[in-house]
Amino acid sequence: MTDTLLSVRNLRVVYPGDDGDFHAVRDVSFTLGRERLGIVGESGSGKSTTGRAIMGLVAPPGRITADEMRLGDLDLTRMNEAGFRKLRGKRIAMVLQDPKYSLDPVMTVGDQIAETHRQHVNAGRKAARLAALEMLEAVQIRDPERVYGLYPHQVSGGMGQRVMIAMMLIAGPDILIADEPTSALDVTVQTQVLAIMDNLVRSRGMGLILVSHNLHLVSSFCDRVLVMYAGRVVETCAAGDLANARHPYTRGLLAALPELGHRRAELPQLQRDPAWLEGSL
Amino acid sequence: MTVARRIAAPLRKIGSLLVSVGLTFLGLTCVTFVIGRVIPIDPVLAIVGDKASNETYERVRLQLGLDQPLLEQYWHYLVKVVHGEFGTSVMTAHPVLDDLLSVFPATLELATLSLVIGVVGGIPLGVYAAVNRGRWQDQLIRFMSLLGYSMPVFWLGLIGLLLFYAKLGWVAGPGRVDVGFDDMVPAVTGLMTIDSLLAGEDEVFWNVLSHLVLPSSILGYLSLAYVARMTRSFMLSQLKQEYILATLAKGLSPFRVVWIHALGNVWVQLVTVIALTFGSLLEGAVLTETVFAWPGLGLYLKNSLFAADLNAVLGGTVLVGVVYIVLNMLSDVVYTLVDPRARGQGT
C-alpha cells in the first residue's frame, strides 16, 4: 500500500448529552489505498458515523477529533466547514442507503447529477447537462436523455441508486464511501449495482469504503475488512481471511450466519462480553 | 413531449376539479338555504315589519314563495343564486349582488397586499429561523410570530392609527381614500390602486396607497406570523431528510441546500398554508375593517348581521364559500406545478 489516499488515526466522534457524552466512534484508525475496504458491524457500532466523520458531516453538537486524518496531502483535522465543502463530491463522495429518500423528490435526477458537476467544475448549463448524460451512460442507464428528465419517484430502486452513484462520481472523487448502498434494493439488482460501482471505482483508481452489516457481501466484495463494535475497530483483516478471524465478536457473528446446504436446527446467539467495550483483545 | 405532458396533466386535473367544484357548490347552497330556513328570523316580518296587516304579510309570503314545498324552494333558490340573484338587501335597499360587487374589491385589495407582505416576509423568516434553530435569531423570530398570534388585531389597529396617523402623520387615516378624492376615478376593477392608475390619477393612487399601508401591514403581520411559523416547522422536518445529507455530500453550498433543495420541498406544503391564509383574509377581517372603516366584505357582513339582513348575510356567505372553492381549485393546480409527484403520470 504505497499509495495511501486516506489515513486516519484515533478518530473519535462524541455527542455531548445530558447524562454524559456519547462516544459514537472511539479511536478508530485505518488507512485506505486504491482498494475496497469494508466496514462491518451491527447497528449503532459507529460504522456510518466513521464514514460521515471523514467527510466532516457530523451534525452539531457532535464533535469530531482525531490525532491524524489525512486525505492525500490535506490535513482534515484542521479543515473548516468551507474547506470540507470543497472536498465533498470532488475528493470524497458518499452513496447513501435508499435512493427513495436520498434524492430530492422535486428535482429531476438529471439536474441533480448536473448540479454536482456545476458545483465543482466551472461549467455552463449545457456542459453540465452533457456531463450528466455521459455519467448516466457510465452507470449503464439506457436512454439517458429520457432518464435525465425523470423525477426520483419515477425511477426504480436500482435505477435510483445508479443515479446516486452517477451524482457522486461525476466530479471525479478519489474516495467513495458507500453506506449500505444495496440494502434497500431488491436482491436481484443488488449485485448489478455493486458491479457497476465496482467497475467505476476500479477503472478510475479510486478507494472505496463499503459500510455494511452484511458479512457475506463485505467478505466477497472487499479487499480488507474492518469489524467495528461499540465505536471501536475490533478486528482488521484481509477479506479472504475473515473466516479465520480472531476476535470473539467477529467469530460470534460468523457463527450466527446460516449457510446454504448446512441445515441447522438453531442458529447460535451472539454472546456479548463487556470486556469488548474496553477494546482490548 | 414533456412540455405537452406538463400542460396536459394540469388540464386533466382541472376537468376533474370542475366536477368536484360543482358538487361543493351544491353543498354550499344547500347549507345557506337551510340556514335561511332555520334561523329564527322571519323573512316576511323582516320585510313588512311587525305592524303590517295579516293580508300584507300573507301577500309577501306568497311573493317569496314560502308556501311551496321545501325542495321546490331550494330549486328556485339555486337557480337564483346561479344567476347571481341574492335578493335585495334590507339595509342598503340595493340588490345584494351589487353590494357584494362593490365591497368585495375593497377586501380583495386589502387581502392581496396583506398576503404579499405575509408571504414575502414570512417565508424567508421561517427559513432563517429553521436554519438557526435554537439560536437567538430563531428565538427572536419565534417571539415575533408569537406576538403576531397573540396581539388582538383591533388593539393593534387602534395603536397603529394613533401612532402613525394621529401622532406621526405618516399614513392616511381610516377609509379607502380621502373624502376629497371620493369618486374621482371611475370604478373599473373596483381595486382603487389599479383604477387610479388606469385613470392616470397619480395623486389619488398615492392617497389610496397611504390608506392601504397601515391596515394591510397589520393584517400582513398576522399572516406573516402564521406563514413564518409554518415555514419554520416544515423546514425543520425537511432538513432532517436523507436527501439533504446527500446534497451536503455533493459539496453544495448551504445556500443551495437550504433555498433550492429544502425550500423546494417546503413549497409543496406551503401552498395549502398560503391558500388558507388568503381565504381567511378574503373572508373579510371584520375587526380590522371595522377599526379602519374599511368598506369591505367583513364590515358589510357585520353590519348586515346586526341588521338581521338575511339576504345580505346569505349572499355574503355564498361569496365566501365560492372564494374558498376557487382558492382550493387554484391550489390544486399550483400543486401540480410545484410537486412532480402530484402530476400523477407514470414513467
Side-chain angles (χ1 to χ4, degrees):
Chain A
M1 269 213 297
T2 47
D3 206 3
T4 304
L5 294 171
L6 177 76
S7 61
V8 174
R9 200 151 49 81
N10 291 339
L11 173 69
R12 290 172 292 267
V13 178
V14 183
Y15 289 96
D18 292 336
D19 38 347
D21 294 353
F22 175 71
H23 298 261
V25 176
R26 312 157 184 241
D27 299 322
V28 166
S29 305
F30 65 91
T31 58
L32 177 75
R34 302 188 188 279
E35 58 175 335
R36 292 161 301 179
L37 176 70
I39 303 183
V40 281
E42 59 194 27
S43 306
S45 59
K47 53 191 196 304
S48 289
T49 312
T50 302
R52 280 161 206 199
I54 298 165
M55 299 184 75
L57 281 177
V58 170
R63 278 199 323 271
I64 310 169
T65 52
D67 292 349
E68 185 192 328
M69 190 152 65
R70 299 191 73 83
L71 174 72
D73 49 359
L74 290 170
D75 185 356
L76 297 185
T77 53
R78 294 172 192 282
M79 194 69 68
N80 59 11
E81 174 62 20
F84 265 118
R85 207 181 308 137
K86 288 201 193 92
L87 300 181
R88 294 181 198 135
K90 180 90 181 145
R91 301 285 303 274
I92 317 179
M94 180 162 66
V95 170
L96 297 169
Q97 182 170 353
D98 192 343
K100 279 265 172 295
Y101 302 109
S102 51
L103 293 170
D104 181 345
V106 302
M107 189 184 269
T108 64
V109 297
D111 284 344
Q112 294 190 52
I113 300 171
E115 191 182 32
T116 315
H117 185 72
R118 294 193 72 182
Q119 183 70 37
H120 298 289
V121 182
N122 197 5
R125 215 167 258 282
K126 266 245 171 65
R129 185 189 157 86
L130 285 178
L133 288 172
E134 220 167 273
M135 205 58 222
L136 280 171
E137 221 160 313
V139 292
Q140 296 174 24
I141 280 177
R142 273 163 285 156
D143 200 358
E145 289 275 355
R146 186 182 66 90
V147 173
Y148 188 101
L150 294 182
Y151 287 94
H153 74 281
Q154 295 168 318
V155 302
S156 66
M159 202 191 262
Q161 203 58 308
R162 281 185 276 170
V163 166
M164 186 79 191
I165 294 169
M167 182 167 97
M168 289 304 174
L169 293 189
I170 192 168
D174 307 323
I175 297 172
L176 181 67
I177 300 166
D179 192 346
E180 305 270 12
T182 56
S183 46
L185 304 181
D186 288 341
V187 181
T188 46
V189 295
Q190 284 187 355
T191 40
Q192 205 187 345
V193 167
L194 275 177
I196 289 169
M197 192 164 71
D198 190 34
N199 264 330
L200 285 167
V201 165
R202 273 168 188 272
S203 64
R204 292 167 169 229
M206 295 169 57
L208 174 75
I209 298 177
L210 181 70
V211 175
S212 177
H213 62 264
N214 189 334
L215 275 172
H216 271 314
L217 178 82
V218 166
S219 63
S220 63
F221 184 77
C222 295
D223 304 313
R224 279 194 307 140
V225 178
L226 301 183
V227 182
M228 287 189 70
Y229 179 75
R232 281 179 206 283
V233 175
V234 293
E235 180 135 23
T236 313
C237 64
D241 293 340
L242 198 61
N244 309 320
R246 296 208 317 268
H247 194 277
Y249 174 65
T250 320
R251 299 191 62 83
L253 284 181
L254 287 166
L257 275 178
E259 247 177 292
L260 215 57
H262 291 263
R263 278 194 79 84
R264 282 192 285 183
E266 210 176 309
L267 289 170
Q269 218 174 8
L270 185 64
Q271 303 297 328
R272 287 155 206 275
D273 185 343
W276 300 347
L277 291 173
E278 306 310 318
S280 50
L281 232 176
Chain B
M1 185 59 199
T2 44
V3 176
R5 221 192 292 151
R6 253 191 137 107
I7 298 169
L11 278 185
R12 216 177 318 125
K13 194 121 195 181
I14 290 171
S16 71
L17 265 176
L18 285 179
V19 175
S20 70
V21 163
L23 287 175
T24 317
F25 183 73
L26 218 58
L28 171 68
T29 52
C30 216
V31 169
T32 50
F33 176 76
V34 170
I35 292 174
R37 292 297 169 275
V38 298
I39 212 164
I41 296 173
D42 188 333
V44 182
L45 269 185
I47 294 172
V48 298
D50 46 9
K51 297 219 168 60
S53 66
N54 270 345
E55 292 85 66
T56 328
Y57 182 92
E58 202 53 32
R59 190 162 46 80
V60 172
R61 202 172 84 91
L62 289 178
Q63 265 175 10
L64 292 175
L66 291 174
D67 55 329
Q68 291 163 0
L70 266 187
L71 212 58
E72 213 163 301
Q73 287 186 36
Y74 173 62
W75 174 247
H76 289 308
Y77 172 70
L78 189 62
V79 170
K80 277 192 187 162
V81 165
V82 169
H83 287 90
E85 289 170 32
F86 298 104
T88 309
S89 159
V90 180
M91 187 176 61
T92 63
H94 294 307
V96 170
L97 185 68
D98 292 357
D99 282 350
L100 290 178
L101 285 180
S102 83
V103 297
F104 188 62
T107 295
L108 184 64
E109 196 166 37
L110 182 60
T112 308
L113 193 60
S114 311
L115 185 77
V116 169
I117 293 173
V119 168
V120 170
I123 292 177
L125 282 177
V127 171
Y128 189 68
V131 171
N132 292 292
R133 182 186 196 176
R135 279 185 250 173
W136 67 265
Q137 298 96 325
D138 182 28
Q139 308 290 4
L140 184 71
I141 291 167
R142 285 170 69 189
F143 177 72
M144 263 179 50
S145 70
L146 186 70
L147 221 60
Y149 262 59
S150 0
M151 213 108 77
V153 59
F154 63 89
W155 181 81
L156 213 56
L158 287 173
I159 295 295
L161 276 175
L162 190 69
L163 185 65
F164 296 108
Y165 168 59
K167 270 252 171 1
L168 297 169
W170 289 357
V171 298
R176 290 181 80 186
V177 67
D178 281 0
V179 185
F181 291 124
D182 251 348
D183 300 323
M184 259 187 70
V185 292
V188 183
T189 60
L191 307 171
M192 291 189 88
T193 44
I194 294 177
D195 285 348
S196 58
L197 284 179
L198 284 179
E201 297 278 1
D202 284 2
E203 217 181 327
V204 181
F205 173 77
W206 290 114
N207 185 257
V208 167
L209 208 60
S210 174
H211 277 271
L212 199 52
V213 151
L214 193 56
S216 63
S217 296
I218 285 168
L219 286 175
Y221 175 43
L222 303 187
S223 323
L224 182 148
Y226 181 58
V227 170
R229 202 183 165 98
M230 297 311 279
T231 305
R232 178 183 178 273
S233 79
F234 293 152
M235 272 308 274
L236 285 178
S237 77
Q238 287 301 325
L239 288 172
K240 280 192 215 118
Q241 303 293 315
E242 282 274 301
Y243 71 85
I244 293 295
L245 181 64
T247 56
L248 288 171
K250 284 157 75 171
L252 297 191
S253 63
F255 180 84
R256 270 197 84 81
V257 173
V258 169
W259 294 91
I260 305 286
H261 287 282
L263 187 60
N265 283 276
V266 165
W267 270 117
V268 176
Q269 296 159 289
L270 273 182
V271 169
T272 315
V273 169
I274 293 171
L276 284 178
T277 308
F278 198 32
S280 67
L281 285 168
L282 282 175
E283 266 174 26
V286 177
L287 291 173
T288 314
E289 291 188 356
T290 307
V291 168
F292 285 93
W294 196 263
L297 186 60
L299 192 60
Y300 180 73
L301 277 179
K302 186 211 81 176
N303 288 340
S304 36
L305 262 176
F306 284 177
D309 190 349
L310 201 59
N311 282 341
V313 172
L314 291 183
T317 309
V318 170
L319 177 63
V320 170
V322 168
V323 161
Y324 271 95
I325 292 174
V326 169
L327 282 177
N328 268 320
M329 201 165 78
L330 275 180
S331 59
D332 272 356
V333 174
V334 174
Y335 263 132
T336 64
L337 297 179
V338 297
D339 189 356
R341 287 161 295 189
R343 275 169 225 154
Q345 82 278 27
T347 44

